[in-house]
Amino acid sequence: MKVTLSALNTSESSFTPLVVIELAQDVKEETKEWLKNRIIAKKEDGGAQLLFRPLLNKYEQETLENQNLYLVGASKIRMLLGAEAVGLVKECNDNTMRAFTYRTRQNFKGFDDNNDDFLTMAECQFIIKHELENLRAKDEKMIPGYPQAKLYPGKSLLRRLLTSGIVIQVFPLHDNEALKKLEDSWYTRFALKYQPIDRIRGYFGETIALYFGFLEYFTFALIPMAVIGLPYYLFVWEDYDKYVIFASFNLIWSTVILEVWKRGCANMTYRWGTLLMKRKFEEPRPGFHGVLGINPITGKEEPLYPSYKRQLRIYLVSLPFVCLCLYFSLYVMMIYFDLEVWALGLHENSGSEWTSVLLYVPSIIYAIVIEIMNRLYRYAAEFLTSWENHRLESAYQNHLILKVLVFNFLNCFASLFYIAFVLKDMKLLRQSLATLLITSQILNQIVESLLPYWLQRKHGVRVKRKMQALKTDSDATLYEQVILEKEMGTYLGTFDDYLELFLQFGYVSLFSCVYPLAAAFAVLNNFTEVNSDALKMCRVFKRPFSEPSASIGVWQLAFETMSVISVVTNCALIGMSPQVNAIFPESKADLILIVVAVEHALLALKFILAFAIPDKPRHIQVKLARLEFESLEALKQQVLQQLLTHVCQVNICLVNE
């Protein structure tokens, strides 16, 4: 029999605060009381059945400074039932991975009624976030105290409170002791070593752990390309025909590393339990809105929005806007080439050292403009994708990533394709590629890590006493910790981090036979990127909510698509080289046919390798098949039991008659 929340007492007199809710300073008392009641109310009454209290200073008194800060937690039983509700997968005593259920809790490894460490703090915070986001309006027509903040049944309360400005932010708290241990094993001591991926997962969750795992894997995978590319750069720079071996290795390398990553990723996520997590309970994203109705699949009452309206928004508004932005990007690119012509003409007329340096200025300016355009477009893409009103978070992310990738690809690589295949200027191609790669890496380090860290340190001067208490005293009060963390920046997710790696992968793979040093620069950047990203996660931004992930998602497809494009690009560049053209001085048609044939052969080799290397190791496949078989057997037994019960009831009725 399934255990329900209403059957158990999930209240406690004291609790460990896990999540902070910050309200606006002028929020009315009736609104606070209503929000509190909805959070602590039982599930059957439309509440979250969580624990909730205001933040108190060390004298256990609420002050004017923090009267709008509230702490959210949950009892141990509530957490365990929440783990079952969200489908967390845990390791059993027989070393198998299964979805956790409260009824069979004793069968799971590490579980003890007196042990509070069965669920990690990150998992507990994820459960609380899930419950808060799924607080839905019932009979309320408006938020109490704010008649302009309209509500309708099924509307996400937290989303409405955030958009109305009543709730300023919701964020999870750091665990100072665990964070200090993680930092000591991660980035505070500079050394060439593997990252503590399992510890990162335990503290920040699977999504961020997978990013750092992929960053580490990609960095080490780049080392062979860097080692091989260095002698090519030093000794055979202009002999493009000798780059055939290097380019072929690049194409095989790009396929193998992505396939091997999928296997390693499957190993990690199976061990973490997220590979087995079911998405059948994926509910509408908080921002989804529509007319309240009944979902024909789940039978639940939720907002409904016609698909044709979404399609109209996509094809009549979003698509034309994206095309307009792409046109503007190409227009800016042509201005860049005009600057290149101007700088080259100035250098040819004077020939001074100053003008030789000036040759790199247009590329540097263009690289800066590209970064600015990418970031401005990102905001527009987020607004448009939200306006399209996608029901699921996965659909929202897929449409957003597609918009951003198309623009970033054209914005970053269009000039290189133009130089390579229209201008056919290999010297300018090398110069532009090197300048774009190095400039973008420097800008990303400054914008993503150094600038936020400097701003955070500047804020730390204003709260010096509290900062010192938090850094030097492991027993720093909760009051001081919350006051400090609420002022930190918000980490917006791994999107920008993956995008940076994607563009880096493009610079390395698309034009490898022209600039073999690209991999070496990428390796150097990524070694510092690991530490700077770790620093910003631990000290610059608020702790993000944990999010279960089974893979790097649509980014895997993006990297694989880039590797396919690199086959075409490298084959075309080799076919354009003077040495290869000299072999076919009379017939260019034969040259084109041979280049196309080689390109098709390499593409066939890539797909054969992708097919030959399984996405999941054999032992993982066996375990997944065994779990599926056991699930089917359990379902058969359940159906059989129900059938026998029904037969018994029928027989009893016949006997009574």
Side-chain angles (χ1 to χ4, degrees):
M1 184 180 75
K2 186 175 180 180
V3 180
T4 61
L5 282 169
S6 58
L8 295 169
N9 180 16
T10 58
S11 63
E12 287 184 3
S13 58
S14 62
F15 67 98
T16 301
L18 297 171
V19 173
V20 177
I21 297 179
E22 182 181 6
L23 304 180
Q25 290 287 352
D26 56 350
V27 173
K28 299 177 181 178
E29 288 300 323
E30 61 177 310
T31 309
K32 293 181 182 180
E33 191 64 24
W34 168 78
L35 178 60
K36 173 187 175 182
N37 291 335
R38 289 304 303 270
I39 290 176
I40 67 175
K42 293 184 177 181
K43 293 286 286 185
E44 58 265 30
D45 297 330
Q49 208 160 340
L50 300 173
L51 304 175
F52 182 87
R53 73 167 173 83
L55 174 68
L56 304 175
N57 63 17
K58 57 187 175 182
Y59 301 108
E60 295 299 312
Q61 294 175 344
E62 191 176 4
T63 63
L64 290 175
E65 185 179 3
N66 63 16
Q67 64 180 354
N68 61 332
L69 293 169
Y70 292 85
L71 305 174
V72 183
S75 66
K76 181 180 177 180
I77 296 176
R78 179 67 183 89
M79 283 299 182
L80 294 174
L81 293 171
E84 178 179 348
V86 301
L88 286 187
V89 175
K90 290 288 189 177
E91 187 177 5
C92 295
N93 292 323
D94 59 359
N95 297 322
T96 60
M97 304 296 295
R98 299 179 188 277
F100 176 80
T101 61
Y102 185 81
R103 183 174 56 83
T104 61
R105 60 192 182 280
Q106 299 295 343
N107 297 334
F108 289 87
K109 186 175 290 186
F111 180 84
D112 190 297
D113 288 325
N114 298 319
N115 180 17
D116 294 330
D117 298 329
F118 178 70
L119 296 177
T120 66
M121 189 174 181
E123 289 171 336
C124 293
Q125 290 169 334
F126 167 69
I127 292 168
I128 289 179
K129 172 177 176 281
H130 176 268
E131 296 297 340
L132 290 175
E133 286 184 340
N134 283 282
L135 277 175
R136 303 278 175 176
K138 297 184 68 178
D139 302 324
E140 303 98 329
K141 302 297 182 183
M142 63 178 185
I143 295 176
Y146 295 87
Q148 74 280 7
K150 302 296 183 182
L151 291 173
Y152 57 82
K155 178 72 175 178
S156 170
L157 295 182
L158 184 62
R159 176 78 177 185
R160 191 70 183 95
L161 289 166
L162 286 167
T163 56
S164 301
I166 298 170
V167 172
I168 304 299
Q169 59 181 334
V170 180
F171 63 93
L173 279 171
H174 274 293
D175 181 339
N176 292 327
E177 184 177 348
L179 180 61
K180 186 66 171 64
K181 291 179 180 178
L182 176 62
E183 288 177 315
D184 289 341
S185 62
W186 195 1
Y187 72 91
T188 54
R189 300 169 187 171
F190 181 78
L192 295 177
K193 60 180 181 180
Y194 291 107
Q195 298 179 85
I197 300 298
D198 286 329
R199 286 191 176 185
I200 298 171
R201 175 255 172 179
Y203 192 83
F204 289 111
E206 290 79 16
T207 298
I208 291 174
L210 280 176
Y211 162 70
F212 280 101
F214 183 74
L215 173 59
E216 177 182 84
Y217 172 81
F218 182 54
T219 302
F220 281 104
L222 281 168
I223 292 177
M225 288 291 295
V227 171
I228 295 174
L230 191 60
Y232 272 96
Y233 173 78
L234 295 175
F235 303 116
V236 288
W237 182 254
E238 297 295 340
D239 296 333
Y240 292 101
D241 57 328
K242 297 180 181 179
Y243 285 129
V244 174
I245 298 175
F246 180 72
S248 301
F249 174 78
N250 181 319
L251 301 175
I252 297 172
W253 165 86
S254 63
T255 302
V256 171
I257 66 165
L258 294 175
E259 293 301 318
V260 173
W261 162 254
K262 283 194 285 190
R263 291 171 61 85
C265 181
N267 265 322
M268 281 193 298
T269 53
Y270 177 83
R271 190 174 71 250
W272 297 340
T274 52
L275 187 64
L276 302 173
M277 283 189 71
K278 304 296 183 183
R279 291 297 176 188
K280 63 184 178 182
F281 47 80
E282 188 173 5
E283 300 185 21
R285 49 187 294 267
F288 177 67
H289 58 85
V291 179
L292 191 67
I294 302 298
N295 187 312
I297 298 174
T298 63
K300 292 182 178 180
E301 193 176 46
E302 65 178 45
L304 300 178
Y305 188 78
S307 177
Y308 77 90
K309 288 187 178 180
R310 184 180 303 111
Q311 298 301 320
L312 287 175
R313 291 186 175 191
I314 291 173
Y315 291 110
L316 297 183
V317 179
S318 297
L319 184 59
F321 177 80
V322 172
C323 292
L324 181 64
C325 291
L326 295 177
Y327 172 79
F328 181 73
S329 174
L330 293 175
Y331 182 78
V332 172
M333 181 189 74
M334 299 312 298
I335 295 176
Y336 155 66
F337 284 120
D338 290 339
L339 289 175
E340 284 283 2
V341 172
W342 171 77
L344 182 61
L346 191 64
H347 177 65
E348 290 176 349
N349 291 333
S350 63
S352 65
E353 293 183 2
W354 182 83
T355 55
S356 63
V357 175
L358 188 64
L359 289 174
Y360 291 92
V361 172
S363 295
I364 295 174
I365 294 175
Y366 184 52
I368 296 173
V369 171
I370 284 176
E371 290 297 321
I372 294 173
M373 290 171 61
N374 285 345
R375 295 182 185 279
L376 291 176
Y377 176 82
R378 166 73 183 279
Y379 293 121
E382 287 178 344
F383 173 80
L384 275 178
T385 310
S386 179
W387 179 70
E388 289 166 5
N389 196 26
H390 296 279
R391 177 181 178 273
L392 300 181
E393 184 65 28
S394 56
Y396 171 84
Q397 290 295 332
N398 289 341
H399 280 79
L400 175 61
I401 290 173
L402 179 61
K403 288 185 184 72
V404 174
L405 283 186
V406 168
F407 181 80
N408 277 261
F409 181 84
L410 186 74
N411 201 29
C412 294
F413 299 117
S415 61
L416 301 178
F417 280 100
Y418 186 83
I419 295 170
F421 302 115
V422 178
L423 301 181
K424 298 181 181 180
D425 188 340
M426 297 298 115
K427 184 177 180 181
L428 179 59
L429 179 60
R430 288 196 300 270
Q431 173 189 315
S432 298
L433 178 58
T435 306
L436 287 174
L437 175 63
I438 296 171
T439 305
S440 65
Q441 289 177 347
I442 293 173
L443 287 175
N444 281 322
Q445 291 283 1
I446 293 173
V447 173
E448 292 183 6
S449 299
L450 296 180
L451 182 59
Y453 181 70
W454 176 78
L455 292 174
Q456 176 60 21
R457 294 289 293 181
K458 186 177 180 181
H459 167 71
V461 172
R462 295 196 299 268
V463 288
K464 186 175 180 180
R465 293 179 182 175
K466 295 168 185 175
M467 176 72 82
Q468 291 299 323
L470 185 60
K471 283 192 171 182
T472 60
D473 183 5
S474 60
D475 295 324
T477 65
L478 176 64
Y479 171 83
E480 292 171 321
Q481 180 185 351
V482 172
I483 295 300
L484 174 63
E485 290 185 21
K486 79 182 185 70
E487 298 297 334
M488 289 181 171
T490 301
Y491 181 66
L492 299 177
T494 56
F495 186 98
D496 289 328
D497 298 314
Y498 277 119
L499 181 61
E500 183 181 348
L501 292 180
F502 172 77
L503 297 177
Q504 186 185 91
F505 181 70
Y507 287 129
V508 171
S509 61
L510 289 178
F511 303 99
S512 59
C513 61
V514 175
Y515 192 61
L517 268 188
F521 281 116
V523 170
L524 292 175
N525 174 79
N526 288 356
F527 274 124
T528 60
E529 184 82 14
V530 169
N531 288 331
S532 62
D533 283 352
L535 174 66
K536 75 180 182 183
M537 292 302 307
C538 295
R539 288 297 171 187
V540 176
F541 294 116
K542 296 183 186 73
R543 183 180 187 174
F545 280 104
S546 167
E547 287 291 341
S549 295
S551 67
I552 62 174
V554 72
W555 290 106
Q556 180 78 34
L557 178 61
F559 279 87
E560 290 172 351
T561 304
M562 181 69 82
S563 70
V564 171
I565 297 173
S566 70
V567 173
V568 182
T569 304
N570 282 282
C571 288
L573 287 173
I574 292 172
M576 290 168 53
S577 67
Q579 291 80 5
V580 174
N581 274 267
I583 302 175
F584 303 92
E586 301 296 333
S587 176
K588 298 299 180 185
D590 292 342
L591 173 60
I592 294 173
L593 289 174
I594 290 176
V595 169
V596 172
V598 170
E599 173 219 330
H600 280 61
L602 288 172
L603 283 174
L605 178 61
K606 281 177 68 66
F607 290 119
I608 290 172
L609 285 172
F611 178 78
I613 303 174
D615 291 352
K616 299 180 181 69
R618 176 64 181 169
H619 69 280
I620 298 293
Q621 295 180 27
V622 171
K623 290 177 180 178
L624 292 176
R626 185 182 302 156
L627 285 175
E628 185 177 357
F629 172 76
E630 291 175 356
S631 298
L632 289 174
E633 289 297 309
L635 182 61
K636 288 179 183 178
Q637 293 295 329
Q638 184 179 359
V639 172
L640 182 60
Q641 184 66 35
Q642 290 175 348
L643 181 61
L644 289 173
T645 303
H646 178 69
V647 171
C648 290
Q649 290 174 345
V650 171
N651 289 335
I652 292 172
C653 291
L654 291 174
V655 170
N656 291 335
E657 290 179 358

